Amino acid sequence: MLISDQIALVSGGASGLGAATARHFAEAGARVAVLDYNREAAEAVAAEIGGFAVQADVSDEAAVDAAIGAATAHFGAAPRIAVNCAGVGHAARIVGREGKTSADVFERTLRVNLFGTYYVMSHAAKRMMELDPLDTGERGVVVNTASVAWQDGQLGQAAYAASKGAIAAMCLPAAREFARAGIRVMAIAPGLFHTPMMEGLPEETTAQITANIPFPARLGAPREYALMAEHIVTNPYLNGTTIRLDGAVRLPPR
């Protein structure tokens, strides 16, 4: 599917990987809906790229449905492309100091990362099904964001790894379900990227982290994630799998 002239929805589109994807898709000629919890940041990115901002907490299904509905009404048609970048990276031991458990962190992480991805995917796909197919037979493409923590989860990442592992695991069954409608589902598992989560770390910590990346020995650039998302959209034979985008890194236990 060509990106030009298509409507694209990017969750978490106000920062990091999502903002890079929104900008890149707009440069490629897409009309982009920027969905984010932070309304002001979403409006800033949308204004920059000539897109449309919608505010929603992705862990709230009704809010997601309303946001995608607003984007559909604004553009006059449902998005054929949905890229899920909204997420949180809370870290906590399962049982921490003094025996404190972290069920609250686990629940919140799954609500945002997993449930949020599921809600955006399901409500976007529901609307894609109503579109006429393109000449290729495609009605739409969904790109979800997993993480290398899906396979290489570090100490303190049980909640995060579980949420991202579930995103990777649901990729194939979702693709099989939507195949009849001509909707493809893929997932990207980024490694260590230069995002707001990483920008707050001390320089020496970042240096230690990048020392484990074989090549290129640096943090990934958000635009490189956007390039992968673009390739998924434009390559019609990519479906039902998760692609690691990580510079060959394998995360150590800590």
Side-chain angles (χ1 to χ4, degrees):
M1 180 190 300
L2 296 177
I3 291 176
S4 180
D5 296 325
Q6 301 298 347
I7 299 166
L9 173 83
V10 182
S11 76
S15 66
L17 304 179
T21 301
R23 292 184 179 105
H24 187 66
F25 279 26
E27 290 171 3
R31 292 170 287 167
V32 182
V34 181
L35 188 158
D36 204 276
Y37 183 76
N38 186 327
R39 181 183 296 276
E40 290 185 1
E43 290 175 346
V45 173
E48 174 191 335
I49 65 174
F52 178 68
V54 281
Q55 191 277 335
D57 177 350
V58 294
S59 69
D60 181 338
E61 183 179 8
V64 168
D65 187 23
I68 299 177
T72 299
H74 174 81
F75 289 115
R80 287 193 187 271
I81 302 166
V83 183
N84 265 304
C85 293
V88 294
H90 303 312
R93 291 173 182 257
I94 299 169
V95 181
R97 294 179 180 176
E98 300 177 355
K100 184 181 184 305
T101 58
S102 57
D104 57 335
V105 174
F106 189 86
E107 180 175 354
R108 176 60 180 161
T109 301
L110 264 69
R111 291 292 309 176
V112 175
N113 293 358
L114 176 57
F115 282 63
T117 296
Y118 184 87
Y119 293 153
V120 173
M121 176 175 67
S122 57
H123 285 283
K126 178 180 72 172
R127 289 171 171 84
M128 290 176 189
M129 289 176 177
E130 298 170 356
L131 297 170
D132 292 331
L134 301 172
D135 292 342
T136 59
E138 293 178 282
R139 282 189 171 87
V141 183
V142 177
V143 180
N144 296 326
T145 303
S147 167
V148 295
W150 153 52
Q151 295 175 315
D152 306 346
Q154 295 179 293
L155 190 151
Q157 284 190 329
Y160 185 72
S163 70
K164 295 302 187 177
I167 289 170
M170 74 180 178
C171 186
L172 179 59
R176 286 172 166 170
E177 176 180 338
F178 295 140
R180 182 172 295 182
I183 297 169
R184 295 185 288 116
V185 181
M186 288 286 293
I188 301 172
L192 303 165
F193 271 69
H194 198 277
T195 64
M197 287 185 193
M198 298 293 292
E199 287 170 2
L201 296 176
E203 188 174 329
E204 59 271 19
T205 302
T206 302
Q208 291 174 355
I209 291 171
T210 55
N212 291 319
I213 303 173
F215 185 82
R218 57 168 174 78
L219 297 177
R223 185 174 176 85
E224 290 167 328
Y225 174 96
L227 287 170
M228 177 58 73
E230 177 189 28
H231 184 71
I232 288 170
V233 172
T234 58
N235 188 330
Y237 212 59
L238 283 173
N239 197 15
T241 195
T242 300
I243 300 173
R244 284 183 69 125
L245 185 65
D246 60 14
V249 74
R250 295 299 180 267
L251 302 182
R254 294 174 182 267

